[in-house]
Amino acid sequence: MPDATDPDGLTVGRAAKLLGVTVRALHHWDETGLARPSLRTAAGYRLYTAGDLERLHRVVVYRELGLDLERIRAVLDDATEDVPTALRAQRDRVTERIDRLRQLRTGLDRMIDAHERGMLLTAGQQAEIFGPRWDPEGPVKARRLYGDTAQWQQYAERAAARGPEEWQAVADAATAFDRALGEAMDAGVEPGSPEGNRLAERHREVFSSYFPLTREMQVCLGRMYEADPGFAAHYDGVRPGLAAWFRHIVDASARAHGVDPDEARWG
């Protein structure tokens, strides 16, 4: 600022730089009568005096507090306007916004943790919910393998919103499904039968707690359940041979929906 008391005033560009606003904003405030320069050069260019700058500064402050331009005009020009009341009301709105932003930050922190850790539970909580054989490092290992996939991102978004109770519901649904598989195998349910196809659909529903599962992806999971020693041990621990039987259930359901299991690919 030439000094704010410079009798020659400040040009629009210098005033904008001083106040941290755009020249376009100053032009708009001039055109609407909110904050007009008191002087003009011989060539017609705007010049802002010290008094103009004081008003502009108040406009900037009130705008940053969230007041719209018409309310700012009333605060500045209407002698009947109860300025403290208006500012208190705006302060309350600012406080509410701060609270919302804090909640948003908490949610973002949880999302970041979920992307990096996979599950926002302590090792003790995981053991209590998923059983003593559960590996608490499993989600971290999964991130190393799948962290750059869309499915991991979907899983992390769901995990960020879950606490112990929500994870307990997921675990209970999986346990109930395993029990239903064992009972269906005992009852002689055949792959491709209505009962078998319903089991395949139920599996997709239960698994969607982690991320959406297409039929082709389900076929790939069925193969992994049978081939991977850890998964095979889990399912065969429910019933001997259950992993292979369930893969046939999934393959038959896929065929019924026009998916060739031999051509199925992940993603």
Side-chain angles (χ1 to χ4, degrees), residues 30-81:
D30 179 11
E31 291 163 1
T32 59
L34 177 62
R36 286 176 170 158
S38 298
L39 300 175
R40 295 271 177 169
T41 68
Y45 294 112
R46 298 168 176 87
L47 290 175
Y48 290 90
T49 66
D52 299 334
L53 291 171
E54 181 179 346
R55 182 180 177 91
L56 282 168
H57 178 70
R58 294 177 70 193
V59 170
V60 171
V61 169
Y62 289 145
R63 189 180 66 161
E64 289 183 352
L65 289 175
L67 273 68
D68 62 46
L69 296 184
E70 286 307 310
R71 192 61 187 278
I72 293 173
R73 187 195 308 275
V75 169
L76 294 179
D77 297 336
D78 188 346
T80 65
E81 178 76 15

Side-chain angles (χ1 to χ4, degrees), residues 16-182:
K17 184 175 181 180
L18 176 69
L19 294 163
V21 299
T22 64
V23 169
R24 183 177 180 181
L26 292 185
H27 285 172
H28 178 65
W29 298 346
D30 179 11
E31 291 163 1
T32 59
L34 177 62
R36 286 176 170 158
S38 298
L39 300 175
R40 295 271 177 169
T41 68
Y45 294 112
R46 298 168 176 87
L47 290 175
Y48 290 90
T49 66
D52 299 334
L53 291 171
E54 181 179 346
R55 182 180 177 91
L56 282 168
H57 178 70
R58 294 177 70 193
V59 170
V60 171
V61 169
Y62 289 145
R63 189 180 66 161
E64 289 183 352
L65 289 175
L67 273 68
D68 62 46
L69 296 184
E70 286 307 310
R71 192 61 187 278
I72 293 173
R73 187 195 308 275
V75 169
L76 294 179
D77 297 336
D78 188 346
T80 65
E81 178 76 15
D82 186 346
V83 176
T85 297
L87 294 179
R88 287 191 184 97
Q90 193 61 26
R91 179 191 61 191
D92 291 342
R93 286 191 283 271
V94 168
T95 300
E96 292 173 0
R97 186 181 179 193
I98 290 171
D99 290 341
R100 290 195 298 272
L101 289 173
R102 284 174 176 162
Q103 293 172 7
L104 176 61
R105 175 169 180 164
T106 298
L108 288 171
D109 286 342
R110 287 184 61 83
M111 186 74 74
I112 291 168
D113 286 347
H115 272 275
E116 293 178 347
R117 294 167 47 199
M119 189 174 291
L120 305 184
L121 298 174
T122 66
Q125 289 172 324
Q126 292 180 50
E128 182 177 353
I129 292 171
F130 299 106
R133 296 180 62 185
W134 174 265
D135 179 7
E137 292 299 311
V140 176
K141 295 175 182 175
R143 179 184 180 274
R144 296 192 191 107
L145 293 173
Y146 310 114
D148 59 348
T149 66
Q151 288 74 37
W152 179 264
Q153 294 174 17
Q154 293 165 334
Y155 164 75
E157 290 170 1
R158 287 163 170 74
R162 288 183 181 142
E165 291 183 0
E166 290 79 12
W167 277 117
Q168 186 65 64
V170 170
D172 290 345
T175 298
F177 179 68
D178 287 351
R179 184 167 55 250
L181 282 182

